[in-house]
């Protein structure tokens, strides 16, 4: 069964600190892996997208890594800001059936001043 | 503004009623999707249309019927609403296989 699991489920960090979110997946065949940010009451917004051959991708203070051999990805947030408080969702694209996306349950990040 | 828009944003209704949610995108995309986000925050694909043709149809009760009048619109009609249908429904669009852009969501509450 194609699955995407994220850890931790939730995280509280102080403003200015760094944090790392984890994603493990079993989706196969794999097309690409995406990280989305979902603010409360809004739709997800794409942060990064990585194909099989890429092992790191940055978007400002967000850096995603991918190890396709171990089927793991991480999202690192540097120098967190209050506006980083959101859910971060790992999404893996299944290379069939119209590149269907399989979503993880997300990690809720709360940045405190 | 270029975006994916959904109406209504909130929908509260009684069990047994029939309701529709509308979605429009002006991004020039050829593929549109409906997702359901449950209370545990998992997003699950329900349907996908490419150029008005149904390409993904997950195991969804046949009370749910999508309709795509053109490439820019994908509406979701739900018959005989049940308590378990309460969720946030997201519309998204993309060029096939590429990044998906999500709408703001419709929070459906069935009483």
């Amino acid at each position: 069964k194609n699955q995407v699991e994220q850890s931790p489920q939730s995280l509280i960090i102080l403003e200015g600190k760094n944090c790392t979110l984890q994603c493990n997946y079993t989706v196969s065949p794999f097309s690409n892996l995406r990280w989305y940010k979902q603010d409360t009451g809004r739709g997800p917004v794409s942060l990064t997208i990585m194909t099989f051959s890429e092992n790191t991708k940055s978007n400002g203070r967000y850096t995603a890594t991918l190890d396709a051999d171990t089927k793991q990805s991480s999202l690192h947030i540097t120098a967190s800001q209050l506006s980083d408080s959101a859910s971060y969702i790992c999404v893996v694209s299944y290379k069939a059936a119209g590149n269907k996306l399989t979503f993880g349950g997300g990690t809720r990040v709360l940045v405190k001043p | 503004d270029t975006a994916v828009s959904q109406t209504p944003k909130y929908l509260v209704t009684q069990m047994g009623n029939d309701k529709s949610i509308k979605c429009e995108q002006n991004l020039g995309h050829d593929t549109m999707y409906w997702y359901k986000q449950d209370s545990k925050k998992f997003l699950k694909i329900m349907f996908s249309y490419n150029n008005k043709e149904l390409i993904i149809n997950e195991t969804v009760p046949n009370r749910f019927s999508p309709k795509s009048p053109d490439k820019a619109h994908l509406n979701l009609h739900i018959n005989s609403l049940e308590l378990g249908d309460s969720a946030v429904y997201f519309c998204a669009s993309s060029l096939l296989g590429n990044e998906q852009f999500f709408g703001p969501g419709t929070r459906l509450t069935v009483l």
Side-chain angles (χ1 to χ4, degrees), chain B residues 6 17 19-20 43 45 47 62 67 86 108:
Chain B
Q6 295 178 229
N17 284 349
K19 290 293 178 186
S20 292
L43 270 153
I45 183 76
F47 303 102
N62 57 15
K67 282 193 171 52
S86 295
L108 171 65

Side-chain angles (χ1 to χ4, degrees), chain A residues 46-93:
Chain A
S46 180
L47 292 175
T48 62
I49 178 169
M50 290 180 289
T51 60
F52 181 87
S53 59
E54 294 174 295
N55 54 24
T56 188
K57 185 75 71 83
S58 290
N59 178 358
R61 294 178 298 101
Y62 301 103
T63 300
T65 65
L66 172 64
D67 185 335
D69 291 331
T70 61
K71 296 186 177 178
Q72 294 180 325
S73 176
S74 65
L75 180 70
H76 187 76
I77 306 175
T78 304
S80 60
Q81 299 177 359
L82 298 179
S83 60
D84 293 331
S85 295
S87 285
Y88 292 85
I89 305 173
C90 176
V91 185
V92 182
S93 178

Side-chain angles (χ1 to χ4, degrees), chain A residues 38 43 46 100-101 103 108, chain B residues 35 37 41 58 90 99:
Chain A
Q38 185 176 17
S46 180
K100 189 170 68 176
L101 302 184
F103 288 75
R108 293 188 197 188
Chain B
Y35 289 89
Q37 188 171 41
K41 302 302 182 185
E58 290 297 285
F90 286 98
E99 180 185 348

Side-chain angles (χ1 to χ4, degrees), chain B residues 21-65:
Chain B
I21 307 172
K22 296 186 175 182
C23 178
E24 177 181 2
Q25 57 93 7
N26 59 8
L27 299 165
H29 291 161
D30 57 5
T31 308
M32 296 185 73
Y33 313 79
W34 276 111
Y35 289 89
K36 179 181 180 181
Q37 188 171 41
D38 59 26
S39 56
K40 293 184 179 178
K41 302 302 182 185
F42 278 94
L43 270 153
K44 292 184 181 174
I45 183 76
M46 300 173 68
F47 303 102
S48 177
Y49 274 73
N50 174 252
N51 288 317
K52 301 196 302 174
E53 297 287 330
L54 183 64
I55 58 171
I56 294 176
N57 185 1
E58 290 297 285
T59 307
V60 175
N62 57 15
R63 298 181 295 103
F64 290 78
S65 52

Side-chain angles (χ1 to χ4, degrees), chain A residues 3-6 22-25 27 30-38 44-50 66 73 88-94 99-106, chain B residues 35 43 100 102:
Chain A
Q3 284 188 316
V4 178
E5 294 185 355
Q6 292 186 241
Q22 301 291 342
C23 173
N24 296 337
Y25 64 92
V27 174
F30 164 91
S31 179
N32 56 60
L33 186 144
R34 311 162 190 217
W35 282 93
Y36 280 85
K37 179 185 179 187
Q38 185 176 17
V45 174
S46 180
L47 292 175
T48 62
I49 178 169
M50 290 180 289
L66 172 64
S73 176
Y88 292 85
I89 305 173
C90 176
V91 185
V92 182
S93 178
Y94 176 53
N99 276 313
K100 189 170 68 176
L101 302 184
T102 301
F103 288 75
Chain B
Y35 289 89
L43 270 153
Q100 293 184 21
F102 286 80

Side-chain angles (χ1 to χ4, degrees), chain A residues 10-14 84-86 108-112:
Chain A
S10 60
L11 185 59
I12 301 175
I13 58 173
L14 291 176
D84 293 331
S85 295
R108 293 188 197 188
V109 174
L110 175 62
V111 181
K112 287 191 167 181

